[in-house]
Amino acid sequence: MFNEFKSFIARGNVMDMAVGIIIGAAFTAIVKSMVDDLVNPIIGLFTGGIDFTNNFFVLSGDGEYASLEAAREAGAAVFAYGAFGMAVLNFLIIAFVVFMLVRYVNKAKEAMETKEEAAEEAPKGPSELDVLLEIRDSLKSEQ
């Protein structure tokens, strides 16, 4: 059973998947930092720092709560539409940032492939043998 497990782990698919997950986790940290530290502050400048996270209404219970956190701590059933809206907004921002990063990487990759194809397709000129054969033929025709 151990040998079977070892062969399963050694397959390329499992190793590729593991590398993908590790790179994905690191990429997630980069995108999250980009959104939290760069994009959201800029959006905050234009919106005046509006945060809808604390918008909610109580579904059960009689009390009025100062914040969503206080309502949750009290055990009240709340309809937290503001937190959901902010989660959707953050998702859209993150999705857009990922789209822009992937778009940039794809353009850079296409540019490299185009450059490589152009280098391969460039005419190299006649070979040494072709030149020698041409000289031989021209010498024969002069005689």
Side-chain angles (χ1 to χ4, degrees):
M1 187 162 111
F2 180 72
N3 287 334
E4 188 178 345
F5 177 72
K6 193 166 73 172
S7 69
F8 170 75
I9 292 297
R11 285 186 192 161
N13 302 7
V14 174
M15 297 306 289
D16 291 343
M17 185 178 70
V19 169
I21 290 170
I22 292 167
I23 296 293
F27 188 69
T28 300
I30 290 170
V31 170
K32 182 170 175 20
S33 174
M34 185 177 191
V35 169
D36 291 346
D37 300 331
L38 302 176
V39 176
N40 281 346
I42 293 170
I43 292 172
L45 284 175
F46 292 112
T47 62
I50 296 173
D51 184 13
F52 299 109
T53 305
N54 230 10
N55 293 355
F56 67 97
F57 60 86
V58 179
L59 296 174
S60 68
D62 296 332
E64 296 256 341
Y65 302 99
S67 68
L68 177 60
E69 185 177 326
R72 286 183 174 161
E73 284 178 8
V78 293
F79 188 77
Y81 62 91
F84 176 75
M86 288 303 292
V88 170
L89 182 63
N90 281 337
F91 168 78
L92 292 174
I93 293 169
I94 290 170
F96 181 73
V97 168
V98 168
F99 167 74
M100 295 303 289
L101 289 173
V102 169
R103 183 175 175 226
Y104 174 75
V105 168
N106 286 341
K107 281 188 177 185
K109 185 178 175 182
E110 287 175 9
M112 291 296 292
E113 289 173 356
T114 304
K115 190 182 287 185
E116 289 174 1
E117 288 174 4
E120 289 174 2
E121 294 175 5
K124 296 178 183 176
S127 68
E128 185 178 338
L129 180 61
D130 293 335
V131 172
L132 289 173
L133 289 173
E134 188 177 321
I135 292 171
R136 182 196 70 184
D137 292 343
S138 68
L139 288 173
K140 279 184 179 180
S141 65
E142 289 178 9
Q143 290 179 348

